[in-house]
Amino acid sequence: MNTAGDGLDLRPFRGVRYVPARIGSLAAVTSPPYDVVVRPDGLLHLESADPHNIVRLILPQATSPQSRNDQAAATLHRWLAEGVLAPDTEPALYVYEQRSGDLLQRGIIGALRLSEASEGVVLPHEDVMPHVVEDRAGLMRTTAANFEPLLLTYRGNGDGTGATAVIERTVQHPPLLSTTTEDGYNHRLWSLTDPSDVRAVRDDLAHHQALIADGHHRWATYLRLRAEHPSPTPWDHGLVLLVDTVRYPLRVRAIHRLLNRLPIDQALATAAPFFRVREVAGPLAQALESLAEAAHHGNAFLLTGADDRYHLLDQPDRALLDRTIPTGRPEAWRTLDATVLHATLLGHVWGIPEDSPACVSYIHDTEATVEKARRDGGTAVLMHPVREEVVRELARQGVTMPRKSTSFGPKPATGLVLRTLTND
């Protein structure tokens, strides 16, 4: 925990939101975060859901990066001019709730003061890919907007005071908006403008540090753009959702890999000298149970391709791990499945460059990963999730995990509230 004034600095902003009278439905204009949209399938689905779907801003389609960014900026300005989007009348923090069955998550959306990892206020836990940061930076720079709140977690005091008390009191009132998206989640949003409530939230958060649960590339983008704009400017802050995981624990899921140019037979044959390779029974749910059981005993990966069969890789050769896993890192990092996958399997056994989008796709949805392998060929590598306590402890030590190691959720829906820096 940080001392007051050295922790999280969350401030209100004038949220930009869809005007209900100008759209078909709020659910039809929202989207998952940009990196969860499985292209091109999910992109085309969202584009056809409503002509004003937010995907036209977060994933614009054109022939070059700059033309895509210019198109997004033009679309944003047109929607603002036409009244499809409109800024709220006064700066606010926003209480955000997601609910699906027994799962309930609540947090606060605001503009967070940016900080480097060395300051110990916001802790990253994953490495980033430079080309993705460059892509997001181009979009944010051209549009001068934060379209998607990052998902950050903090550990509250568990005593029902401070930000928690404000959140629980606020949700007793009618929300600004309420919608249920096609994934079954209900989303509700409240505006928090009362000075005493805002002060209570800010004072509480000033005693805490946060872990980036989802949005490492966008956080790195925020920092890059801040460096391009000498302070003080709106670029000193970035749009985030802060969730107290003492009160609302997040789910941690794996992010899977699709090796686009590696046939499954070749993947298995080259791995066999170094890993135990065995076929396991399907369907997918049963194969994932086999993966979970193997993961209790060490590194394990579930592979499948176009042939509709599942193969388990486990019990890696210890000598190979000693040669290929970098030293000088904590044992918890050296034994991560993602570390073994990237350093040993991709880097040594399969010889695949992890930072090449043509060679490796990172996909959050398990079924979508398998479907793409079935349809397009290549090899799907399905991962077992990392425990949250491992992620947090490594982050506290200043150790970042391999890129795309975890998927925390539920993630905030994109399109409920935006931040335009020209309006801040």
Side-chain angles (χ1 to χ4, degrees):
M1 179 183 297
N2 296 330
T3 58
D6 294 330
L8 299 166
D9 180 7
L10 190 72
R11 71 176 182 86
F13 69 103
R14 287 184 67 196
V16 172
R17 297 186 293 112
Y18 280 99
V19 177
R22 300 303 309 276
I23 57 176
S25 74
L26 189 55
V29 296
T30 61
S31 164
Y34 79 98
D35 57 337
V36 179
V37 178
V38 182
R39 303 169 78 174
D41 314 63
L43 180 65
L44 294 174
H45 172 72
L46 291 166
E47 284 183 332
S48 62
D50 189 282
H52 299 112
N53 189 282
I54 194 70
V55 77
R56 287 181 167 79
L57 299 182
I58 63 172
L59 289 173
Q61 299 300 293
T63 56
S64 70
Q66 190 55 52
S67 60
R68 288 196 295 269
N69 299 335
D70 290 340
Q71 178 176 299
T75 300
L76 173 62
H77 295 152
R78 184 174 70 255
W79 288 357
L80 287 166
E82 294 174 349
V84 174
L85 293 169
D88 285 338
T89 56
E90 58 183 318
L93 297 176
Y94 295 85
V95 173
Y96 176 47
E97 176 190 276
Q98 295 161 275
R99 187 190 294 268
S100 178
D102 294 334
L103 191 150
L104 174 65
Q105 178 173 291
R106 291 172 177 152
I108 299 276
I109 295 176
L112 184 67
R113 181 180 62 82
L114 305 179
S115 59
E116 300 288 346
S118 59
E119 298 176 55
V121 177
V122 176
L123 305 177
H125 72 268
E126 287 184 356
D127 292 332
V128 297
M129 293 176 276
H131 74 275
V132 177
V133 176
E134 181 63 33
D135 174 73
R136 292 296 96 184
L139 179 66
M140 286 190 205
R141 186 185 297 114
T142 306
T143 59
N146 299 158
F147 293 132
E148 306 181 83
L150 283 61
L151 176 58
L152 273 61
T153 73
Y154 69 100
R155 305 289 289 176
N157 299 326
D159 57 6
T161 62
T164 296
V166 174
I167 291 172
E168 301 306 323
R169 186 167 61 249
T170 300
V171 299
Q172 303 305 314
H173 299 284
L176 282 176
L177 60 86
S178 177
T179 188
T180 300
T181 46
E182 64 179 5
D183 58 5
Y185 275 92
N186 177 257
H187 307 263
R188 297 199 296 169
L189 192 76
W190 292 261
S191 176
L192 200 63
T193 57
D194 181 85
S196 62
D197 285 342
V198 171
R199 184 167 56 252
V201 170
R202 298 191 68 195
D203 288 349
D204 184 11
L205 294 176
H207 293 271
H208 296 283
Q209 65 180 187
L211 174 74
I212 301 177
D214 185 69
H216 284 82
H217 289 89
R218 283 167 285 165
W219 183 260
T221 300
Y222 287 169
L223 293 176
R224 174 183 291 194
L225 295 175
R226 180 184 68 167
E228 296 176 5
H229 299 82
S231 298
T233 71
W235 299 95
D236 294 337
H237 295 75
L239 186 64
V240 306
L241 164 65
L242 278 161
V243 174
D244 175 4
T245 53
V246 170
R247 194 167 186 87
Y248 299 107
L250 270 66
R251 295 178 306 181
V252 187
R253 293 179 172 175
I255 301 176
H256 310 294
R257 277 68 169 158
L258 181 63
L259 310 181
N260 301 297
R261 297 177 176 177
L262 181 68
I264 184 68
D265 290 343
Q266 183 180 341
L268 297 172
T270 51
F274 308 106
F275 287 74
R276 181 173 68 167
V277 179
R278 53 198 169 104
E279 187 172 344
V280 295
L284 177 59
Q286 185 173 344
L288 289 171
E289 290 178 4
S290 299
L291 173 63
E293 174 60 27
H296 287 309
H297 306 288
N299 301 116
F301 310 91
L302 185 65
L303 273 59
T304 189
D307 59 2
D308 199 26
R309 297 157 63 191
Y310 297 95
H311 310 269
L312 191 65
L313 270 63
D314 63 355
Q315 298 185 8
D317 178 75
R318 174 54 56 183
L320 176 65
L321 296 182
D322 290 341
R323 292 199 310 273
T324 56
I325 302 296
T327 59
R329 299 285 189 96
E331 186 65 13
W333 181 90
R334 301 187 77 247
T335 56
L336 288 169
D337 286 340
T339 299
V340 173
L341 173 62
H342 285 253
T344 304
L345 277 168
L346 293 181
H348 179 85
V349 175
W350 292 327
I352 294 175
E354 60 178 297
D355 57 353
S356 169
C359 296
V360 184
S361 298
Y362 296 84
I363 305 176
H364 292 72
D365 185 84
T366 309
E367 289 79 7
T369 311
V370 172
E371 288 171 7
K372 287 181 73 65
R374 296 280 186 269
R375 184 180 67 243
D376 302 334
T379 296
V381 181
L382 306 182
M383 311 279 286
H384 188 67
V386 183
R387 300 190 315 277
E388 182 181 356
E389 55 266 30
V390 173
V391 176
R392 192 173 292 275
E393 182 54 37
L394 286 172
R396 285 198 186 102
Q397 297 178 46
V399 178
T400 54
M401 299 166 66
R403 58 197 63 172
K404 298 293 183 181
S405 293
T406 60
S407 177
F408 283 85
K411 304 177 190 305
T414 299
L416 299 181
V417 61
L418 290 59
R419 174 178 179 247
T420 55
L421 279 70
T422 54
N423 194 52
D424 225 30

